[in-house]
Amino acid sequence: MNFIITIFNETIFKPILNFLLVIVDFIPGNDLWIGIILVTIIIRLFLYPLSYKALKSQRELTKLQPEIKKIQKENKDDKQKQSMAVMALYKEKGINPFAGCLPFIIQIPVIIGMYRVFLVELRGGDALQGLIYPFVTVSDNINASFFNIGVITEIGPLSLVFGILAGFAQFVLSKLTLAQKDKTGLPVRTKSKKSGAPDFQNMMGKQMTYVLPFVTIFIAQSFPAGLALYWFVTTLFSIGQQYVINKSVG
């Protein structure tokens, strides 16, 4: 466990902390909230090629659903043959079915690292001892206030405000994600055309469109405002990215 914590600190937490401090030091007024926005954008730009590839793969998978369902129907009594045929289809089309998980998996340690930065380390100078790189200058005048409305490193009303914004952004992102099914000729339905039985996959997709925003608000409002702001900005970036995918991939 100590080894894992050490790896996490050296590869995720300390780089994020020091990078944020460097950015804040260059910002006139040393505003922490501006630094958070800039760091979030830079992180997402760094991950953009991987995220773009993953979202493109997801869209291609959606387009393959009719062929996959046909394979499943033809091999409904032989699960092994069914799986092999589906994997062969993925290989033929050059699609990695697991690629879509990578951006989410990568974001988890980044969010944990940001959480520690805001909740623990930016609340006091003593906590920074041993964590700052020798070439990094820590400003003595870091401004943690957000327009005198609240403190970005604390949990409070500002957390709820950014949480609500993040929830709304999540709703827009979910709508864009569902919209890509319409463009591929796979409309979202709540019932199967043939049997009239509920289409649970599509029902779940529609339900999550409305449930996830509230989950986002509930979680974000319990975080320091800076982390809720990060969540909002990174979701906005995802909206732009999804829009590009929907426009560029037919």
Side-chain angles (χ1 to χ4, degrees), residues 31 45 80 102 128 150 156 161 200 243:
D31 289 309
L45 286 174
Q80 183 176 0
L102 289 178
L128 296 175
V161 172
F200 289 107
Y243 180 80

Side-chain angles (χ1 to χ4, degrees), residues 180-234:
Q180 72 176 2
K181 291 188 176 182
D182 295 322
K183 291 187 66 177
T184 55
L186 294 171
V188 178
R189 300 184 301 271
T190 56
K191 288 188 177 181
S192 170
K193 281 186 175 180
K194 292 184 178 180
S195 65
D199 188 333
F200 289 107
Q201 183 177 0
N202 286 324
M203 286 178 63
M204 182 63 70
K206 292 190 71 175
Q207 289 175 1
M208 292 308 290
T209 298
Y210 297 97
V211 172
L212 277 179
F214 288 102
V215 173
T216 298
I217 294 171
F218 177 77
I219 296 175
Q221 60 87 30
S222 63
F223 284 160
L227 187 55
L229 175 60
Y230 166 81
W231 199 332
F232 170 53
V233 176
T234 197

Side-chain angles (χ1 to χ4, degrees), residues 135-169:
F135 56 85
V136 173
T137 301
V138 181
S139 174
D140 295 327
N141 300 305
I142 294 179
N143 182 18
S145 174
F146 182 80
F147 294 108
N148 295 320
I149 298 174
V151 179
I152 211 76
T153 55
E154 295 180 355
I155 302 172
L158 200 56
S159 301
L160 178 60
V161 172
F162 288 136
I164 292 173
L165 291 173
F168 178 74

Side-chain angles (χ1 to χ4, degrees), residues 22-217:
V22 168
I23 295 295
V24 171
D25 189 52
F26 278 96
I27 296 172
N30 304 121
D31 289 309
L32 185 57
W33 68 272
I34 298 178
I36 293 168
I37 292 175
L38 292 177
V39 168
T40 303
I41 293 173
I42 292 171
I43 290 175
R44 290 308 303 264
L45 286 174
F46 179 76
L47 297 175
Y48 182 80
L50 180 61
S51 299
Y52 181 88
K53 184 177 180 180
L55 288 173
K56 185 176 179 180
S57 179
Q58 286 180 337
R59 187 161 177 78
E60 295 295 338
L61 277 173
T62 301
K63 294 171 66 176
L64 283 181
Q65 286 306 305
E67 294 182 60
I68 293 174
K69 288 181 178 180
K70 182 179 179 181
I71 290 173
Q72 291 172 338
K73 183 178 180 180
E74 292 174 348
N75 302 280
K76 60 182 179 180
D77 297 324
D78 191 338
K79 297 297 182 182
Q80 183 176 0
K81 187 176 180 181
Q82 181 184 116
S83 299
M84 292 177 64
V86 171
M87 294 307 294
L89 177 63
Y90 289 154
K91 185 176 181 180
E92 177 188 344
K93 300 296 183 179
I95 296 175
N96 181 359
F98 306 107
C101 301
L102 289 178
F104 176 74
I105 293 174
I106 291 174
Q107 279 296 310
I108 292 176
V110 173
I111 290 175
I112 295 174
M114 295 289 275
Y115 179 82
R116 185 176 173 190
V117 167
F118 298 128
L119 185 63
V120 182
E121 307 304 342
L122 289 181
R123 285 192 169 185
D126 292 340
L128 296 175
Q129 295 296 324
L131 299 173
I132 307 303
Y133 298 147
F135 56 85
V136 173
T137 301
V138 181
S139 174
D140 295 327
N141 300 305
I142 294 179
N143 182 18
S145 174
F146 182 80
F147 294 108
N148 295 320
I149 298 174
V151 179
I152 211 76
T153 55
E154 295 180 355
I155 302 172
L158 200 56
S159 301
L160 178 60
V161 172
F162 288 136
I164 292 173
L165 291 173
F168 178 74
Q170 180 61 53
F171 173 76
V172 175
L173 177 60
S174 297
K175 295 291 282 186
L176 278 175
T177 303
L178 286 176
Q180 72 176 2
K181 291 188 176 182
D182 295 322
K183 291 187 66 177
T184 55
L186 294 171
V188 178
R189 300 184 301 271
T190 56
K191 288 188 177 181
S192 170
K193 281 186 175 180
K194 292 184 178 180
S195 65
D199 188 333
F200 289 107
Q201 183 177 0
N202 286 324
M203 286 178 63
M204 182 63 70
K206 292 190 71 175
Q207 289 175 1
M208 292 308 290
T209 298
Y210 297 97
V211 172
L212 277 179
F214 288 102
V215 173
T216 298
I217 294 171

